Amino acid sequence: MKTISADSPIGIYDSGVGGLTVWRAVRELLPAENLIYFADQAKVPYGRRPLDEVRELAVAACGFLMGQGCKLVVIACNTASAAALKYVRELWPDFPFVGMEPAVKPAAEQTLSGKVGVLATSSTFHGPLYASVVERFAHDVQLYQATCPGLVQQIENGSLDAPETRQILEAAVLPMLEEGVDTLVMGCTHFPFVIPLIRQIAGDAVRVIDPAPAVARQVRRVLESRDLLFEGEGFGKSLFYTSGEPKKLEALLPKLIGGEDEVFRNNDAGVALAM
Ligand code: DGL
């Protein structure tokens, strides 16, 4: 394991490109930090896999990023956080992990109609983190849930405004609007990439909650508390790894985050290509 210091990179991990919505927020808040992103695209989508299988994938991915010398790992995937956040914290008690949980709390605070829609994968809805936020924060609101089957794949293909993508979103969101939902929670890190389309469908009056900026602030707090925040000036580097097809990810990055960084395949890692 490499020695960790303030100039070590931050690791960010997702099943695919969804965690780039978190990468974007971390990059904006902490521009000087070096970032290593890992997309487990050989295994995407995670959303319908059993939680114990996702947990194994997440342990391997976190191990890979720790092996790259990361000083903190963001599990930028609600599904992997539901399956593995508690587990990796027990496995590596001294290492800082930041995870995702559906943003039911801010939604419950902001809704005026008392009706909140949550879009997330089916594994996230079945996991312990969702049950816990519902129990803690959803007393006075009514929640409507939708899994948006096929949406993660559409986003993985870069089809952010294709007719099929619109159909999936309409099927999820229109019934919620009819019920009076005025706040939508992005409970899957892929989904903020289709917020423009959601706005077309739902109109500007509906609040759409993307938790990425709050997660980036949490990353900063955790690094500060451990004296690991990089104080340098300028712009840090970003590396992108995938267990899938590097060329495919490389082609998609400009569309999603406007970058031109080189994509590496992590075939030296525990997350093997053949998996
Ligand atoms: N981006 C992931 C999440 O936040 C999961 C998508 C998937 O692989 O199904 O849940």
Side-chain angles (χ1 to χ4, degrees):
M1 197 71 64
K2 296 179 188 166
T3 317
I4 285 176
S5 61
D7 56 5
S8 302
I10 296 169
I12 302 176
Y13 147 65
D14 179 44
S15 61
V17 296
L20 292 171
T21 57
V22 175
W23 176 94
R24 201 163 57 175
V26 173
R27 176 42 80 235
E28 200 181 319
L29 187 70
L30 305 170
E33 296 280 356
N34 292 317
L35 308 179
I36 299 183
Y37 186 85
F38 173 57
D40 194 8
Q41 290 175 301
K43 294 294 182 186
V44 70
Y46 277 6
R48 276 167 304 171
R49 294 179 188 276
L51 285 173
D52 54 353
E53 186 186 337
V54 175
R55 187 173 77 180
E56 274 178 38
L57 297 172
V59 167
C62 291
F64 167 67
L65 287 169
M66 292 165 76
Q68 297 297 306
C70 290
K71 59 185 175 183
L72 175 150
V73 168
V74 186
I75 302 185
C77 173
N78 290 266
T79 312
S81 296
L85 187 57
K86 186 164 175 277
Y87 186 78
V88 294
R89 283 178 171 155
E90 280 164 13
L91 200 59
W92 293 294
D94 298 327
F95 191 87
F97 292 97
V98 172
M100 314 287 307
E101 63 178 23
V104 169
K105 183 179 183 217
E109 286 163 1
Q110 290 175 39
T111 177
L112 297 177
S113 66
K115 295 180 176 182
V116 169
V118 184
L119 310 185
T121 69
S122 125
S123 296
T124 295
F125 285 130
H126 288 106
L129 289 178
Y130 186 66
S132 151
V133 291
V134 170
E135 195 187 308
R136 282 179 291 151
F137 307 119
H139 290 293
D140 301 326
V141 297
Q142 209 166 335
L143 294 179
Y144 297 82
Q145 296 155 10
T147 58
C148 306
L151 186 55
V152 167
Q153 290 91 324
Q154 289 295 105
I155 294 166
E156 285 291 315
N157 292 331
S159 305
L160 303 186
D161 49 16
E164 200 183 334
T165 312
R166 175 182 277 271
Q167 274 164 22
I168 296 169
L169 281 170
E170 281 177 350
V173 170
L174 290 178
M176 292 180 175
L177 297 177
E178 273 165 33
E179 294 291 338
V181 162
D182 68 351
T183 307
L184 290 170
V185 174
M186 302 293 101
C188 168
T189 52
H190 279 74
F191 298 170
F193 282 125
V194 291
I195 288 178
L197 193 50
I198 293 176
R199 292 219 176 281
Q200 282 178 26
I201 295 166
D204 286 336
V206 169
R207 283 174 206 76
V208 179
I209 300 188
D210 172 6
V215 172
R217 290 194 294 276
Q218 176 65 4
V219 168
R220 183 172 62 186
R221 271 193 295 273
V222 173
L223 289 177
E224 268 168 357
S225 73
R226 293 179 177 236
D227 239 353
L228 284 174
L229 197 64
F230 183 60
E231 307 284 359
E233 300 281 314
F235 292 98
K237 271 176 53 180
S238 284
L239 281 178
F240 297 91
Y241 287 86
T242 179
S243 59
E245 251 327 302
K247 289 267 167 288
K248 192 178 167 203
L249 179 56
E250 205 163 19
L252 205 51
L253 285 179
K255 181 168 196 174
L256 297 178
I257 55 168
E260 289 167 17
D261 300 72
E262 194 179 345
V263 178
F264 294 89
R265 186 140 59 165
N266 73 326
N267 53 0
D268 58 343
V271 186
L273 297 169
M275 279 166 70

